[in-house]
Amino acid sequence: TTSAQTDRLLLGLLIFEYLAEIAVAYWVSPRTWDGLSSHTHPHVPAAAFIGASILGLPLYMALACPGRSSTRHVIAIGKMLNSALIIHLFGGRIETHFHVFGSLAFLAFYRDWRVLVTASSVIMCDHLVRGVFFPVSVFGVIAANPWRAFEHAGWIIFEDIFLIWSCLQSSRELRRIAEQRARLEMSNEIIEAEVKERTESLARSRRELIRSEAAIRAIVDTAADAIFTVNPAGEIETANRAAESMFGFRRSELVGRNIEFVVRPADPDEPGLVQSENRLVSNGIPLDREREALGRRGDGNEFPLEISIGEILTDGERRLAIFARDISGRKAVESKLARQARDAEFSSEIGHALVSGGGLRNTLQQCVESIVVHFDAALACVWTARDSGQGLELAASANVFTPIG
């Protein structure tokens, strides 16, 4: 924090001042107090021990409790006592009093006006007490006017006014910056939370989409019916495995070809599948209906299909889904059942003709008519030998009567 950094800065300054005090006591104080005498002055050990006493508590507080309010006040007291010691070592010379103003400026780095009040109170009390009892150490004179301490206190208060105003302004500015930063961090947290939530939602949607696509693909690929998707131009876009096995083409051979290549209407006069479906849609007729068509295998053979067509809308584009089922087996069964029904009906009519009576010609006529009806014959005739034994005569015919003479 800023307070802890300032603690370390002022602690370093206190250590430097302590060493400087010893140097001042050794080189300057003897000449200040004893004229030209250069012998070691008692101020040298005094500076060492008094300076160490002043430094001890701030050093401990700065190292053990950095950033605390009590640490700031202890360091402020130590700075002012150091200033008083320096003034004493210089014999109260007026220039050394500027050290007090410099120390107050350094203490303003805390941006805490209470620290300035503590420091100013200590140095003003020092000047007042020493000005009364030991004026030579603070003002450099044997006797000093008691009001002189108040004069120095006035200048200290004068500086404090500006330093305290600066601390208050700085604190307000820091508070404003901190509030803005807090709001910004809160906004960032909200935005990050929303982004995280949306990202997770998109990831979930993507996973669900992938699972859904995989499930649909599995269903399509395992379906027994052939399934095609066709674009508006009639080109095949996808085909499933059943389409490959049903039509005898690889998927790569089907994709890109027109659907008419493998599926066409059963009625040759009907337009293509896509055109037919487009016409139905334009007329408002639903596509979900089944109808028959013809499929073409890879060997060129055609086979019957039953198809149903659905409409797919993706991103505003229309596609068709064509489901095709091979009905060759069903057609074969239907044809067999039709033949059996026809044969049964034909047998019934022949039996009825044989037992109905009415003469031979009438019986034969009924038989040939049944042959024409049930076997799609163009002509059915029965000839019998003439009674004279020469030639044949037409006994019964259906659709055409041709006499033979």
Side-chain angles (χ1 to χ4, degrees), residues 46-76:
F49 289 110
I50 295 175
S53 300
I54 294 172
L55 179 62
L57 186 57
L59 178 63
Y60 169 77
M61 294 293 290
L63 296 177
C65 310
R68 288 188 181 180
S69 176
S70 57
T71 303
R72 294 198 291 272
H73 288 278
V74 169
I75 290 176

Side-chain angles (χ1 to χ4, degrees), residues 24 29 32-33 41-43 46-47 50 81-93 96-97 126 130 134 136-139:
V24 166
S29 290
T32 300
W33 290 90
H41 195 277
H43 283 176
I50 295 175
L81 293 178
N82 246 358
S83 296
L85 181 58
I86 290 172
I87 293 172
H88 170 73
L89 293 175
F90 274 91
R93 297 175 62 179
T96 55
H97 288 77
D126 168 78
R130 285 199 295 156
F134 197 17
V136 70
S137 71
V138 64
F139 299 124

Side-chain angles (χ1 to χ4, degrees), residues 146-161:
W147 291 102
R148 191 169 182 180
F150 291 100
E151 179 187 355
H152 282 252
W155 286 111
I156 292 173
I157 293 172
F158 178 76
E159 182 184 9
D160 282 343
I161 292 173

Side-chain angles (χ1 to χ4, degrees), residues 143 225 266:
D225 294 344

